[in-house]
Amino acid sequence: MITHHPPFDLLCDYAAGASGEGLALAIATHVAMCATCREQVSQIEAVAGAMLEGVAPAAMSDGALALALDQLDDMDVEPARAAPRFDALTAGTIPLPLRRYLSGNLSSLPWKSMGRLFQEARLPLSGKAVKASLMRLRPGSLMPRHTHRGHEYTLVLAGGFRDGDEAFAPGDFCAKDVAHQHQPVVDEDEECLCLVVLDAPVKLTGAIGRLVNPFLRF
Amino acid sequence: MDGVGVAAARTGGFPWYSPVPALRTVRARAGAQVTNDELCRLVSAIAVDSDREAFARLFRYFAPRLKGFGLRRGVDATAAEELAQETMLTVWRKAASFDPSRATVSTWIFTIVRNKRIDMFRRTGWPEADLEEAGDPPSEDRLPDENVVVSQAGQAIRSAVKTLPKEQIEILEKAFFEEKSHRAIAEEMKLPLGTVKSRIRLALARLRVALPEGHA
């Protein structure tokens, strides 16, 4: 069961189309997994839709409709659904909004190992300011203690981890910023797969971590 | 003249239900508010029969509103018109994905124009958990009751929006029309982030009261 949801203001920014792409990816993926937040976003969109209908209309130029009708000739009405092109594991683990950012199945992504703790596959966002990655965390591993220079959004896709007193399971959303220092511990029984979105590199705070900080690439 | 304009004139009016006579003319030309049921029939005619007359009627109703929506974002008339055109062409292409048991036509079109706007003006991708694709395709055997509930809820929201206090409307407009995040609104209006959050929450909570059971 999902117990950690994005804060309401982030859902609202998403529904308004005001989030950056990376955060929007985390929210959209959570929303695809969480009926409660899906309902909230639908409600916010319903308000936006009602307000759209109330916008003061601005007259289109002469011939705008004729132009649109002309273009329809080259355009078919699409069928309701496109064919799937992922294997069952990938389709079953990765919700649709996130799947569109994958270059292939989970097993064939360009995973990069970061020490023995985790593997990371970076996702293609339009800008460079924000980084979004899939991370596979080894069962039972202790992530390096770290704090944040910006925001860190984590969405659990499979497996789980504990962070202090809190347990995170598939669908759970975790938002951290400069105010938080934490050290997640991955559950013993299985690998944990997460979507992680960062708008600045994390800052390691352990003794060894401090030596590694200058080498953390973003 | 539709009831909206009359009500707005009586109460002093909200910014986008402007009682200014010039806009009244445009409204009249663009057609008074149409019911969601009627709009649903038009989208369905496109999906089923590629009905161009239905498209033309939807275009006459929505394109000027979409252009107005683009202008509120702060782009020039040419870009706003292109946004309206592109959105309407997507309406044609995606008509078969529209599911009247999940959203009103205007809400569905809002999600399309929101994505187009990001695509055209911000030039980034946008991960969509949207009404048109997130779930199963619209099913044939869905209870017609659900469509009625959605339609009624849409109508209730349209009426309830008109009763919101000005400062709540202003912030919702910044979010939905100007594509501003809570943080950006707080900076622009020199308000604490918490104040922006609570105004938006209050406004949405108030609108949600208007929703029937199951959609509350």
Side-chain angles (χ1 to χ4, degrees):
Chain A
M1 204 186 88
I2 297 173
T3 51
H4 300 273
H5 302 273
F8 184 75
D9 55 319
L10 295 188
L11 288 180
C12 198
D13 288 350
Y14 171 76
S19 329
E21 187 185 5
L23 174 56
L25 178 59
I27 300 282
T29 309
H30 171 83
V31 163
M33 300 170 88
C34 175
T36 310
C37 290
R38 197 154 57 235
E39 181 60 28
Q40 293 235 330
V41 168
S42 295
Q43 284 177 10
I44 300 166
E45 287 171 344
V47 172
M51 288 176 65
L52 169 66
E53 233 180 308
V55 168
M60 296 288 280
S61 40
D62 295 339
L65 174 57
L67 181 71
L69 286 168
D70 265 359
Q71 286 175 275
L72 297 187
D73 294 334
D74 308 325
M75 221 181 294
D76 290 328
V77 178
E78 290 174 2
R81 203 176 211 185
R85 56 182 186 91
F86 290 96
D87 64 22
L89 174 71
T90 307
T93 315
I94 309 290
L96 194 58
L98 180 55
R99 230 181 291 157
R100 295 203 199 96
Y101 281 75
L102 299 188
S103 57
N105 291 316
L106 280 174
S107 54
S108 63
L109 291 181
W111 294 104
K112 280 188 187 155
S113 289
M114 311 296 273
R116 299 188 46 206
L117 293 176
F118 59 88
Q119 291 183 306
E120 177 176 8
R122 188 153 180 179
L123 301 170
L125 297 185
S126 310
K128 293 273 174 242
V130 173
K131 174 175 142 172
S133 308
L134 285 183
M135 289 200 179
R136 298 168 63 173
L137 314 177
R138 269 170 59 104
S141 60
L142 196 67
M143 292 294 111
R145 177 171 290 281
H146 63 276
T147 175
H148 308 94
R149 293 182 169 94
H151 296 91
E152 177 191 86
Y153 305 104
T154 306
L155 178 70
V156 181
L157 300 163
F161 63 83
R162 295 196 69 83
D163 193 358
D165 296 337
E166 297 179 310
F168 290 82
D172 278 334
F173 183 95
C174 173
K176 299 284 181 196
D177 61 25
V178 287
H180 304 98
Q181 172 171 251
H182 70 151
Q183 183 169 34
V185 183
V186 183
D187 292 351
E188 290 287 346
D189 45 351
E190 61 175 315
E191 184 180 272
C192 176
L193 180 70
C194 297
L195 166 65
V196 179
V197 175
L198 285 171
D199 58 12
V202 300
K203 191 171 166 187
L204 301 183
T205 50
I208 296 174
R210 275 197 289 274
L211 296 174
V212 178
N213 270 330
F215 304 103
L216 283 183
R217 293 234 320 265
F218 185 55
Chain B
M1 189 62 224
D2 57 291
V4 170
V6 174
R10 203 164 46 230
T11 58
F14 295 110
W16 78 88
Y17 285 124
S18 173
V20 176
L23 289 177
R24 264 192 202 158
T25 322
V26 177
R27 278 191 72 87
R29 218 186 307 139
Q33 212 155 50
V34 178
T35 64
N36 184 54
D37 294 346
E38 176 60 18
L39 296 173
C40 284
R41 274 194 288 278
L42 296 176
V43 176
S44 166
I46 296 173
V48 177
D49 299 321
S50 298
D51 184 332
R52 296 165 67 93
E53 180 49 34
F55 177 82
R57 289 182 59 195
L58 264 187
F59 188 98
R60 285 190 206 100
Y61 183 67
F62 273 110
R65 286 169 170 77
L66 292 166
K67 185 175 176 182
F69 178 78
L71 292 173
R72 292 297 307 266
R73 167 68 164 65
V75 301
D76 64 29
T78 311
E81 181 144 334
E82 195 188 339
L83 178 69
Q85 285 280 11
E86 289 291 318
T87 302
M88 291 311 299
L89 292 177
T90 304
V91 164
W92 171 267
R93 281 193 293 113
K94 299 273 188 191
S97 309
F98 171 66
D99 181 349
S101 72
R102 292 168 71 183
T104 61
V105 172
S106 58
T107 297
W108 177 60
I109 291 183
F110 168 76
T111 65
I112 295 173
V113 73
R114 174 189 68 192
N115 300 354
K116 281 282 167 223
R117 184 176 66 178
I118 291 164
D119 187 38
M120 286 174 64
F121 306 147
R122 218 157 73 189
R123 304 209 173 277
T124 70
W126 182 255
E128 188 55 68
D130 61 2
L131 297 155
E132 44 175 305
E133 289 173 277
D136 299 325
S139 68
E140 301 292 322
D141 56 353
R142 205 164 315 237
L143 295 171
D145 291 4
E146 292 179 50
N147 306 4
V148 174
V149 169
V150 167
S151 270
Q152 286 173 347
Q155 187 54 50
I157 293 173
R158 283 203 303 220
S159 309
V161 162
K162 285 180 260 163
T163 69
L164 290 180
K166 194 161 170 291
E167 79 260 13
Q168 291 178 10
I169 288 287
E170 189 184 8
I171 289 191
L172 288 185
E173 288 187 336
K174 284 190 187 301
F176 298 142
F177 297 168
E178 298 175 26
E179 198 183 323
K180 293 201 169 92
S181 66
H182 276 63
R183 196 167 296 279
I185 294 170
E187 278 168 21
E188 183 189 305
M189 299 183 76
K190 301 194 169 35
L191 288 170
L193 185 58
T195 305
V196 173
K197 281 187 195 176
S198 61
R199 276 190 198 169
I200 291 187
R201 275 197 94 105
L202 271 173
L204 293 174
R206 199 156 154 177
L207 296 176
R208 242 175 285 172
V209 171
L211 291 173
E213 195 70 25
H215 285 255

